[in-house]
């Protein structure tokens, strides 16, 4: 038997109602905050990711699914969505009417990393990006929106971690100070970080190798190097989070692994998922649109790890799976054909209806209805056909009523769709 690829997974019907519920809640909230959905391709030219994510990142160095297509052009399965959304924003000149655009997308991403709990090679993200707003109010609003989503999904054991990465004015001073510290400790760093410490020392702060983490214990904090503008920006983010009542912590060690981030960087972390504690990663990227050939327009965004969010939500949500409302148990060919006609009509009218199509006994049909979780069963045998009246059995109370064929569909749909619910 051919099995799926390592690190890939199926999301089975039993999990789907939770995934759909999360997707609905997230889309609704994003739309209420003024976001519009955008759908971007799953593949892009490799160059787009190499340029926007940065050549010396884990993603670009080790994790991308890159291959030549039949004509030899290098293409990559998207490891994240920001690069493509920025590309679309520039390519379609979405800024021409109004530079302010709020976009979101939901879909699969691909990274070839070591599969483990909470870490897959195809995983899903809910990604949101805002262009054209430099104000720190937007940073606070996005974190507030995320925490609202988490609380709507009954996830409370999580916190926003925030930091500022400065800007091209103040980051170089911090980089020099960091580089000095790293040079002193170069022999304690992993091979990648030795190379990175000279080229891009901030990357070292994002390394997950334990010896690197230890070597970084008393490094300088970027917050001590912020220029006045970046300082004020970060102060406003914090004061607005406070006003909105959003729990947050300053995390001086938090950097995003991507080249284009400036100023606010944030993560939402939880203690409930073991080693894979980050559920959301986000931040500002004021230089990215320009770096990719567009106008000088600021940006900020985040990506929620859908798989991790679903895992968290599953811990707290009661059963939300959709169960059929009605099961029609029919005995004999003539009854089955009548049941078939009704099942089609009722499904069209919005009542989820199931029936047996394989002539099973009444007993096994009742068992099937029970297994499916139907709340009502409409029973139709030879006797009922002769009497032109079916039996409607309530599976909870076990009471039965007689429903004449005449007006049966109208009666069922009107009662079902009434505020009191099914009969
Ligand atoms: P991590 O530190 O866990 O590797 P990251 O910094 O690489 O995360 P981002 O690029 O910021 O992750 O992506 C945002 C979110 O997407 C993460 O916080 C996480 O929830 C999720 N995510 C990233 N990589 C994976 C993966 N391989 N499998 C499942 N979820 C992932
Ligand atoms: Mg990663």
């Amino acid at each position: 038997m051919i099995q799926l690829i390592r690190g890939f997974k199926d999301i089975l019907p039993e999990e789907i109602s939770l995934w759909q519920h999360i997707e609905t809640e997230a889309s609704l909230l994003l739309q209420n905050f003024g976001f519009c959905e955008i759908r971007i391709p799953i593949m892009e030219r490799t160059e787009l990711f190499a340029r926007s994510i940065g050549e010396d990142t884990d993603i670009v160095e080790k994790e991308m699914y890159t291959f030549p297509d039949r004509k030899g052009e290098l293409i990559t399965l998207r490891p994240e969505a920001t690069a493509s959304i920025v590309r679309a924003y520039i390519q379609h000149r979405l800024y021409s009417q109004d530079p302010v655009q709020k976009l979101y997308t939901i879909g699969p991403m691909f990274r070839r990393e070591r599969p483990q709990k909470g870490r897959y090679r195809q995983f899903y993200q809910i990604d949101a990006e805002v262009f054209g707003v430099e104000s720190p109010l937007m940073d606070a609003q996005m974190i507030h929106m995320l925490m609202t989503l988490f609380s709507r999904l009954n996830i409370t054991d999580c916190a926003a971690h925030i930091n500022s990465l400065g800007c091209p004015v103040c980051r170089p001073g911090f980089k020099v100070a960091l580089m000095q510290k790293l040079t002193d400790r170069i022999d304690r760093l992993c091979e990648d970080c030795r190379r990175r410490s000279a080229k891009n020392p901030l990357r070292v702060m994002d390394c997950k190798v334990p010896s690197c983490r230890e070597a970084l214990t008393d490094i300088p904090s970027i917050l001590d190097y912020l220029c006045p503008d970046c300082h004020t920006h970060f102060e406003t983010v914090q004061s607005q989070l406070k006003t909105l009542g959003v729990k947050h912590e300053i995390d001086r060690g938090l950097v995003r692994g991507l080249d284009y981030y400036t100023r606010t960087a944030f993560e939402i972390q939880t203690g409930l998922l073991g080693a894979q504690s980050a559920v959301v990663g986000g931040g500002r990227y004021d230089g990215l649109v320009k770096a990719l050939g567009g106008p000088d327009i600021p940006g900020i965004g985040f990506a929620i790890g859908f798989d991790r969010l679903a895992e968290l939500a599953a811990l707290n949500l009661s059963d939300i799976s959709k169960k059929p409302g009605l099961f029609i148990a029919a005995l004999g060919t003539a009854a089955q054909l009548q049941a078939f006609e009704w099942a089609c009509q009722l499904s069209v009218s919005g009542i989820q209806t199931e029936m047996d199509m394989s002539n099973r006994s009444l007993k096994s049909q009742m068992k099937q209805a029970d297994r499916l979780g139907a709340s009502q069963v409409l029973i139709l045998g030879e006797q009922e056909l002769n009497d032109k009246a079916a039996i409607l059995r309530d599976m909870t109370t076990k009471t039965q009523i007689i429903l004449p064929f005449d007006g049966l569909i109208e009666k069922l749909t009107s009662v079902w769709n009434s505020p009191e619910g099914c009969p």
Side-chain angles (χ1 to χ4, degrees):
M1 193 240 131
I2 301 171
Q3 306 255 344
L4 50 60
I5 313 168
R6 193 165 124 82
F8 287 63
K9 65 171 181 179
D10 301 308
I11 300 152
L12 297 172
E14 64 192 36
E15 295 165 88
I16 279 298
S17 33
L18 178 61
W19 281 62
Q20 288 175 339
H21 175 69
I22 294 174
E23 211 169 304
T24 309
E25 286 289 330
S27 304
L28 196 71
L29 188 66
L30 280 155
Q31 285 164 21
N32 286 342
F33 274 93
F35 286 77
C36 292
E37 187 179 352
I38 179 170
R39 298 196 187 181
I40 44 171
I42 266 169
M43 291 195 271
E44 297 272 2
R45 292 170 207 275
T46 303
E47 197 194 340
L48 175 71
F49 300 116
R51 269 175 58 191
S52 67
I53 299 172
E55 297 278 5
D56 51 5
T57 52
D58 274 353
I59 294 182
V60 173
E61 275 178 353
K62 311 179 196 165
E63 298 175 356
M64 293 203 308
Y65 279 97
T66 297
F67 45 86
D69 77 355
R70 288 172 185 273
K71 289 257 166 73
E73 187 182 12
L74 276 186
I75 49 179
T76 295
L77 289 179
R78 62 181 188 197
E80 50 107 59
T82 307
S84 307
I85 296 182
V86 174
R87 184 212 28 81
Y89 179 74
I90 300 169
Q91 181 172 346
H92 306 290
R93 302 171 65 87
L94 299 183
Y95 50 81
S96 58
Q97 293 285 324
D98 180 358
V100 179
Q101 295 284 330
K102 302 183 200 177
L103 305 169
Y104 78 93
T105 200
I106 302 178
M109 308 295 155
F110 304 84
R111 297 183 195 176
R112 198 178 188 291
E113 32 187 348
R114 192 169 71 80
Q116 52 195 292
K117 190 175 181 303
R119 197 173 285 288
Y120 309 96
R121 291 178 169 175
Q122 174 174 337
F123 61 100
Y124 294 77
Q125 285 186 338
I126 303 172
D127 183 280
E129 314 288 345
V130 176
F131 298 99
V133 183
E134 202 181 357
S135 166
L137 297 181
M138 185 51 79
D139 309 37
Q141 190 178 54
M142 287 184 101
I143 297 169
H144 166 57
M145 181 173 74
L146 282 163
M147 293 307 265
T148 306
L149 176 64
F150 278 60
S151 90
R152 288 194 183 167
L153 296 172
N154 280 346
I155 303 168
T156 46
D157 189 359
C158 62
H161 291 234
I162 59 171
N163 195 16
S164 175
L165 303 180
C167 69
V169 173
C170 52
R171 197 151 47 183
F174 170 69
K175 267 189 172 177
V176 171
L178 179 62
M179 227 178 305
Q180 268 162 10
K181 275 273 182 211
L182 294 177
T183 314
D184 295 347
R185 297 167 188 189
I186 195 91
D187 48 338
R188 289 163 64 187
L189 303 179
C190 73
E191 209 178 298
D192 284 337
C193 286
R194 285 182 200 175
R195 186 167 32 83
R196 287 167 182 170
S197 63
K199 229 168 120 195
N200 197 338
L202 255 78
R203 288 265 179 278
V204 181
M205 292 173 67
D206 212 14
C207 183
K208 294 193 183 73
V209 175
S211 59
C212 292
R213 300 224 71 92
E214 271 168 39
L216 290 172
T217 37
D218 57 338
I219 52 162
S221 165
I222 189 158
L223 296 181
D224 298 329
Y225 289 79
L226 296 184
C227 62
D229 285 351
C230 286
H231 180 78
T232 311
H233 196 277
F234 193 48
E235 286 290 312
T236 312
V237 175
Q238 291 170 65
S239 63
Q240 289 313 308
L241 285 177
K242 215 166 153 194
T243 308
L244 292 163
V246 177
K247 267 197 304 186
H248 62 281
E249 287 168 29
I250 294 179
D251 186 342
R252 291 161 172 261
L254 184 106
V255 288
R256 305 296 313 144
L258 311 178
D259 254 352
Y260 48 73
Y261 283 96
T262 50
R263 292 189 169 167
T264 318
F266 59 91
E267 273 186 1
I268 294 182
Q269 297 183 5
T270 172
L272 298 172
L273 293 179
Q276 268 45 267
S277 58
V279 194
V280 182
R284 263 196 181 275
Y285 48 82
D286 290 346
L288 182 64
V289 178
K290 189 159 182 228
L292 288 181
D296 192 2
I297 292 176
I300 175 170
F302 62 71
I304 308 176
F306 202 134
D307 313 69
R308 294 183 196 173
L309 184 64
E311 210 181 309
L312 279 177
L315 301 172
N316 294 299
L317 281 184
S318 46
D319 187 15
I320 48 169
S321 57
K322 199 165 178 324
K323 303 224 161 60
L326 185 72
F327 186 93
I328 310 182
L331 291 164
T333 313
Q336 195 185 46
L337 289 178
Q338 177 62 75
F340 176 69
E341 202 179 300
W342 285 343
C344 292
Q345 284 175 3
L346 288 164
S347 296
V348 168
S349 346
I351 301 173
Q352 192 184 336
T353 310
E354 287 287 345
M355 67 173 283
D356 169 64
M357 292 189 180
S358 53
N359 285 320
R360 280 191 266 188
S361 70
L362 180 62
K363 197 172 156 202
S364 71
Q365 290 193 45
M366 292 307 284
K367 266 197 190 150
Q368 193 189 351
D370 214 30
R371 208 173 44 244
L372 290 169
S375 59
Q376 306 278 325
V377 179
L378 192 68
I379 301 164
L380 186 64
E382 225 165 282
Q383 181 70 50
E384 287 74 29
L385 271 184
N386 287 338
D387 297 349
K388 295 207 175 316
I391 299 167
L392 186 69
R393 181 176 171 85
D394 185 304
M395 295 298 273
T396 322
T397 61
K398 313 284 181 217
T399 50
Q400 302 193 158
I401 54 169
I402 306 286
L403 282 186
F405 286 8
D406 196 21
L408 179 137
I409 294 287
E410 292 73 17
K411 173 120 177 103
L412 277 175
T413 44
S414 77
V415 180
W416 223 281
N417 295 328
S418 75
E420 291 82 41
C422 52

